[in-house]
Amino acid sequence: MAEVKHLVVVKFKEGVVVQDIITGMEKLASDIDAVKSFEWGQDVESPEMLRQGFTHAFLFTFSNKDDYAAYVSHPSHDEFAATFKSVIENFVLLDFPTVLVKSSK
């Protein structure tokens, strides 16, 4: 069974302390055993016209669809999602099974 990725790309509202949100996401990922890995990054290269105000990407990895479902239904996820939704102006969310083309060495 393929890993499942949960990708969230966001544009935060003006004045949001982004580091507080990142700290919350890191805690969420650490507290829920179903999360295989969590990584995030901030755009530093794309011209503004291309990124359309989106500045951060968050990527959760799960071993399978059942682990992803456990994450989504976890009470800590529900609690954090309410906080997260209140600080974002816009977002793109994709959940997808992966297709490995080239593995790392």
Side-chain angles (χ1 to χ4, degrees):
M1 188 178 275
E3 286 183 337
V4 173
K5 303 286 186 175
H6 174 65
L7 173 66
V8 185
V9 181
V10 300
K11 177 181 182 180
F12 287 101
K13 291 180 180 175
E14 193 70 34
V16 170
V17 180
V18 175
Q19 186 55 52
D20 291 348
I21 301 305
I22 292 169
T23 299
M25 287 188 120
E26 289 171 348
K27 182 176 181 346
L28 181 69
S30 295
D31 290 351
I32 300 177
D33 291 337
V35 177
K36 182 175 180 179
S37 68
F38 169 69
E39 50 197 303
W40 68 272
Q42 181 176 357
D43 182 75
V44 294
E45 299 289 330
S46 299
E48 174 59 32
M49 65 181 198
L50 296 178
R51 67 177 158 129
Q52 301 175 19
F54 293 95
T55 58
H56 290 75
F58 303 96
L59 181 65
F60 291 83
T61 301
F62 304 91
S63 293
N64 54 53
K65 196 173 179 180
D66 290 340
D67 284 354
Y68 170 71
Y71 165 77
V72 170
S73 63
H74 195 282
S76 294
H77 174 267
D78 292 340
E79 183 180 323
F80 184 79
T83 299
F84 188 69
K85 288 176 185 175
S86 73
V87 300
I88 56 174
E89 183 175 320
N90 200 359
F91 69 100
V92 175
L93 173 68
L94 295 172
D95 299 310
F96 54 95
T98 58
V99 176
L100 183 62
V101 176
K102 179 180 179 181
S103 64
S104 59
K105 294 180 182 182

